[in-house]
Amino acid sequence: IRDYKVTGVQTCALPILFLNSQITFGQKVNEWTNYLENESVLVEYQYRNCTTDPLPDYEAIYLRLTNKTDNRISVIWDSEIYRNGKCNTCSDEYHAVIELNPKEILEGGCGSNYNRNLRFFNDYLSDNLKNKSQTITEFKLANLQVVCSNCKEQ
């Protein structure tokens, strides 16, 4: 892995070696779990109930990204959401690019004011709306990379 301040032509892409991680379910609601951490970024996820949307109450998986550097970075990935072993989001439509300012923490949340790339709908909380066949069984942030557009050589 190259140092995050090494540049080619004013940009550098950091390879992420955690690409084949699988997230299994049965995690506790409201606890942050590390998905990936390196010298540039911390990516975490948690299950959280959303009861403030105009939609019926539901559970979602939320992401939190922390820029650990003094530089502006982009965190880029393809969301792969699996429901009963089948990927429902394996297309270009679910390509995410999140910009983070130096030392910024960005967290997904309920409602339309939050970036949809930082929240994955899991299931409704009400028994009469639950659809176990549609509950997420695995998710991946595939092709995950961190790009620093204003990194300076040391």
Side-chain angles (χ1 to χ4, degrees), residues 60-140:
I61 299 165
Y62 296 88
L63 298 177
R64 179 167 67 186
L65 308 176
T66 302
N67 180 353
K68 297 167 54 177
T69 74
D70 294 323
N71 298 295
R72 184 172 172 81
I73 62 171
S74 299
V75 183
I76 303 165
W77 70 85
D78 298 313
S79 299
E80 293 184 3
I81 308 299
Y82 293 83
R83 298 178 190 277
N84 292 324
K86 180 181 177 214
C87 184
N88 293 74
T89 60
C90 292
S91 70
D92 290 340
E93 180 182 349
Y94 296 94
H95 182 76
V97 178
I98 305 293
E99 304 285 335
L100 292 168
N101 290 315
K103 306 295 185 191
E104 181 178 16
I105 298 172
L106 190 59
E107 184 177 311
C110 294
S112 58
N113 294 335
Y114 291 90
N115 187 315
R116 73 176 181 92
N117 290 311
L118 298 176
R119 175 181 63 206
F120 307 128
F121 174 84
N122 191 30
D123 205 349
Y124 291 107
L125 297 177
S126 169
D127 285 337
N128 64 332
L129 293 175
K130 281 189 179 200
N131 183 352
K132 290 298 180 191
S133 66
Q134 291 302 309
T135 300
I136 295 174
T137 54
E138 177 185 349
F139 78 90
K140 297 179 186 177

Side-chain angles (χ1 to χ4, degrees), residues 18-83:
F18 201 74
L19 297 179
N20 291 324
S21 67
Q22 294 184 345
I23 304 304
T24 56
F25 293 86
Q27 315 270 345
K28 293 182 180 176
V29 173
N30 294 327
E31 289 185 13
W32 287 106
T33 302
N34 282 10
Y35 182 85
L36 165 106
E37 183 171 13
N38 64 23
E39 67 277 357
S40 300
V41 68
L42 171 63
V43 179
E44 301 166 286
Y45 69 95
Q46 78 172 191
Y47 296 84
R48 188 167 58 213
N49 296 336
C50 184
T51 58
T52 59
D53 257 2
L55 296 172
D57 295 348
Y58 62 92
E59 179 186 66
I61 299 165
Y62 296 88
L63 298 177
R64 179 167 67 186
L65 308 176
T66 302
N67 180 353
K68 297 167 54 177
T69 74
D70 294 323
N71 298 295
R72 184 172 172 81
I73 62 171
S74 299
V75 183
I76 303 165
W77 70 85
D78 298 313
S79 299
E80 293 184 3
I81 308 299
Y82 293 83
R83 298 178 190 277

